[in-house]
Amino acid sequence: RVAKGDKWDSDTTTDNSVVTPYDTSAFGSTILSNSFDSNLDLYVIEFGGDVTTIGNNAFRNRSNLANVIIPNTVTSIGERAFYYCGNLASINTGDNIVSIGASAFSTCNLTNISLGPNVTSIGRYAFYGCSSLQKVYCKAVIPPAGEYAMFEDIAESAVIYVPHESVNAYKSAKYWSDVANLITGYDF
């Protein structure tokens, strides 16, 4: 569902301009790359249960987007999917996400994010410039393969919570070691 202000619409905005694609049949299992017109003011996105992939640049530069709810059916978030969504403060990810693309959430206003137990890869600059990001909950027992600067320029006081039994593995894993001072154990 797409919200504009406090009104929910199914396939058009409140000013009757078409959202392409929006409805479940248009999404199918993939939200296509570059899906949403740059003039569309989106505030809240809640995906249907059939979506498995959010494509590259799908919601890039949606400055009004504040909240995203991703269902458990989604396994992949593409490169720059939510890049430069400057007001995006809240994102609820499903537990089945496997991969997060490069710059997927760069320069968002996220304050915390929870990454499910199935994440196996996090792309370069995935959370770069999320200067309000205070808490990262990474539930994967095995550290996801990381890439360069995935958590660069997050809040100085940020904490990355990982399973207690995995703290040392995370702190020594490539690219996770760059943020080893932020990593602490947590009971999920």
Side-chain angles (χ1 to χ4, degrees):
R1 299 186 310 184
V2 177
K4 182 171 181 166
D6 59 2
K7 182 178 188 299
W8 287 99
D9 277 321
S10 61
D11 61 357
T12 60
T13 64
T14 55
D15 63 357
N16 294 321
S17 59
V18 176
V19 177
T20 307
Y22 167 64
D23 66 26
T24 304
S25 63
F27 276 161
S29 63
T30 301
I31 296 174
L32 302 175
S33 298
N34 305 303
S35 289
F36 286 90
D37 181 272
S38 61
N39 295 320
L40 180 63
D41 287 336
L42 298 175
Y43 299 100
V44 178
I45 300 285
E46 181 178 347
F47 302 106
D50 295 338
V51 176
T52 59
T53 301
I54 300 173
N56 297 344
N57 301 302
F59 298 97
R60 180 181 178 165
N61 206 25
R62 302 284 40 94
S63 60
N64 290 331
L65 185 59
N67 185 19
V68 175
I69 301 167
I70 299 175
N72 282 330
T73 55
V74 173
T75 60
S76 176
I77 298 174
E79 293 184 3
R80 298 170 306 281
F82 297 96
Y83 174 81
Y84 210 66
C85 291
N87 286 318
L88 182 58
S90 175
I91 186 156
N92 298 326
T93 62
D95 282 340
N96 293 320
I97 295 200
V98 173
S99 64
I100 298 171
S103 300
F105 297 99
S106 286
T107 62
C108 289
N109 197 31
L110 296 172
T111 56
N112 62 62
I113 188 162
S114 179
L115 305 175
N118 297 310
V119 174
T120 60
S121 67
I122 300 175
R124 68 191 176 284
Y125 300 111
F127 298 97
Y128 174 83
C130 294
S131 58
S132 297
L133 187 57
Q134 294 286 329
K135 296 178 182 178
V136 177
Y137 298 91
C138 192
K139 299 175 185 176
V141 174
I142 298 171
E147 290 189 43
Y148 178 76
M150 60 188 175
F151 290 109
E152 189 167 321
D153 288 340
I154 63 174
E156 289 181 23
S157 58
V159 179
I160 299 174
Y161 296 101
V162 303
H164 276 292
E165 66 272 20
S166 304
V167 170
N168 290 334
Y170 272 86
K171 286 185 174 187
S172 62
K174 188 172 184 178
Y175 300 114
W176 288 96
S177 61
D178 296 345
V179 291
N181 61 318
L182 305 178
I183 296 172
T184 192
Y186 192 80
D187 290 321
F188 291 105

